[in-house]
Amino acid sequence: ARWLAGTAAEQLGDYDRAIEEYGEAVRNDRGNRDAVLSLLRLLEAQGLYEDALPILSRYRSENPRDPELLVQTIRFAHRAGAPKVAEGAAKGLEAIPGQRGRAAAERAASRAA
């Protein structure tokens, strides 16, 4: 219900309310991938990279092998100036079969940026 309320608020252009609703959806269900991705999209648009790190950490505690959220963690951590968090996520991504190249690409993109 909170994710749907966030979606409605976002569609109406009330981004602060959308962030609040998505945040509640994530707090109520740490595994709610849709709410996490929606929340990350809005936080990124507003440049609130540091605010995303605790959300990503909570999600990853429940879903440590989700490659897309590991990539998001690398990107947000880099932008927030948290290289240790980014490297930890990159190592987690490398540990997933078939994701070693993606981890290398994310490291290279971070260094290039």
Side-chain angles (χ1 to χ4, degrees), residues 2 10 13 17 22 31 41 65 69 73 75 80-82 85 93 95:
R2 291 288 194 160
E10 186 176 358
R17 171 110 190 260
Y22 290 143
R41 187 180 65 252
R65 296 181 61 83
L69 274 291
T73 301
R75 292 175 182 173
V85 174
L93 186 60

Side-chain angles (χ1 to χ4, degrees), residues 2 5-7 9-10 14-27 35 38-46 48 51 55:
R2 291 288 194 160
T7 301
E10 186 176 358
D14 188 352
Y15 301 115
D16 291 335
R17 171 110 190 260
I19 287 173
E20 182 180 316
E21 294 293 347
Y22 290 143
E24 283 300 317
V26 172
R27 279 188 277 286
S38 297
L39 181 55
L40 291 176
R41 187 180 65 252
L42 289 178
L43 292 173
E44 182 177 30
Q46 294 185 9
L48 301 172
D51 293 354
I55 294 158

Side-chain angles (χ1 to χ4, degrees), residues 15-77:
Y15 301 115
D16 291 335
R17 171 110 190 260
I19 287 173
E20 182 180 316
E21 294 293 347
Y22 290 143
E24 283 300 317
V26 172
R27 279 188 277 286
N28 291 333
D29 178 8
R30 290 182 184 183
N32 189 336
R33 190 175 198 270
D34 292 332
V36 170
L37 290 172
S38 297
L39 181 55
L40 291 176
R41 187 180 65 252
L42 289 178
L43 292 173
E44 182 177 30
Q46 294 185 9
L48 301 172
Y49 307 117
E50 289 180 23
D51 293 354
L53 295 179
I55 294 158
L56 285 160
S57 177
R58 281 192 301 272
Y59 179 84
R60 286 181 33 233
S61 71
E62 299 288 322
N63 306 281
R65 296 181 61 83
D66 184 329
E68 182 59 35
L69 274 291
L70 285 165
V71 168
Q72 292 296 326
T73 301
I74 295 165
R75 292 175 182 173
F76 276 89

Side-chain angles (χ1 to χ4, degrees), residues 86-109:
E87 184 55 29
K91 286 179 181 178
L93 186 60
E94 275 182 337
I96 299 171
Q99 297 297 316
R100 179 170 250 170
R102 196 170 183 192
E106 287 302 321
R107 281 188 178 114

